[in-house]
Amino acid sequence: MNTNWGAFTTAEPALAKTVEERFATYTHHVLATLRKDGSPRTTGLEVRFLDGELWLGMMPDSLKALDLRRDPRFALQANPGSGTGMGGGDVRISGRAVEVEDEETRRRYTEEVEPPEPFHLFRTELTEVVRTYVEDETYLVLQVWRPGEPVRTLKRA
């Protein structure tokens, strides 16, 4: 099932708002991709939520872009910030990144974001969104969403 950010936002608006706020708190986040040998690679990345999509823009021929061209699976972790506060919780998005070659789509993105040229542009298809936070200084709470399913909430003492 191909689910973009807009479909997630429609299905689970409260969780989507929290996730967007966590990503908006800091500019740089951590992207995990898969190397040729299948081992993980983590790198810094800026992300954009525009027009119902979660966009990943990258420098030309960056290793992360080459990884995604070879194997589109990714995990994206919001920057937790300094200290241990993590206001709003810890959030992670997993899915597949699809490179955008369509000139009109790239032009609209460029007008809005003004990225350095040239660049790779990927839109995302979500497979999971997870928020982890502490409630009442007692419970570790996980909210897990997958396409076609309601949010599952798990509490651990």
Side-chain angles (χ1 to χ4, degrees):
M1 172 182 275
N2 294 341
T3 301
N4 71 357
W5 188 256
F8 168 60
T9 300
T10 298
E12 297 294 341
L15 181 56
K17 181 177 187 288
T18 298
V19 171
E20 282 191 43
E21 287 171 353
R22 285 293 295 122
F23 275 95
T25 303
Y26 297 96
T27 303
H28 297 96
H29 308 285
V30 178
L31 177 71
T33 58
L34 296 169
R35 300 171 192 253
K36 284 183 198 177
D37 67 2
S39 63
R41 179 191 318 274
T42 58
T43 54
L45 182 75
E46 294 180 31
V47 302
R48 295 285 192 276
F49 296 91
L50 296 170
D51 301 326
E53 300 285 357
L54 168 56
W55 301 98
L56 312 176
M58 299 169 202
M59 292 173 46
D61 298 323
S62 64
L63 293 175
K64 59 191 160 198
L66 298 177
D67 286 347
L68 290 172
R69 280 181 161 176
R70 188 177 47 261
D71 185 330
R73 293 176 293 173
F74 74 90
L76 179 65
Q77 182 84 32
N79 185 330
S82 61
T84 59
M86 289 196 310
D90 181 48
V91 297
R92 178 180 46 83
I93 300 169
S94 299
R96 297 171 48 86
V98 178
E99 190 160 14
V100 176
E101 309 257 357
D102 174 68
E103 288 304 317
E104 179 60 22
T105 302
R106 290 177 61 85
R107 183 191 61 73
R108 285 195 317 271
Y109 179 86
T110 301
E111 285 178 0
E112 184 71 30
V113 177
E114 300 179 5
E117 297 272 359
F119 66 99
H120 294 284
L121 181 61
F122 295 86
R123 66 174 186 76
T124 59
E125 296 174 350
L126 310 180
T127 57
E128 184 178 69
V129 177
V130 179
R131 175 184 179 218
T132 306
Y133 62 97
V134 176
E135 182 179 280
D136 297 330
E137 298 182 26
T138 304
Y139 301 101
L140 181 66
V141 181
L142 282 87
Q143 293 178 297
V144 180
W145 174 86
R146 292 190 177 110
E149 300 176 12
V151 171
R152 283 184 307 130
T153 301
L154 310 162
K155 283 187 179 183
R156 297 181 184 149

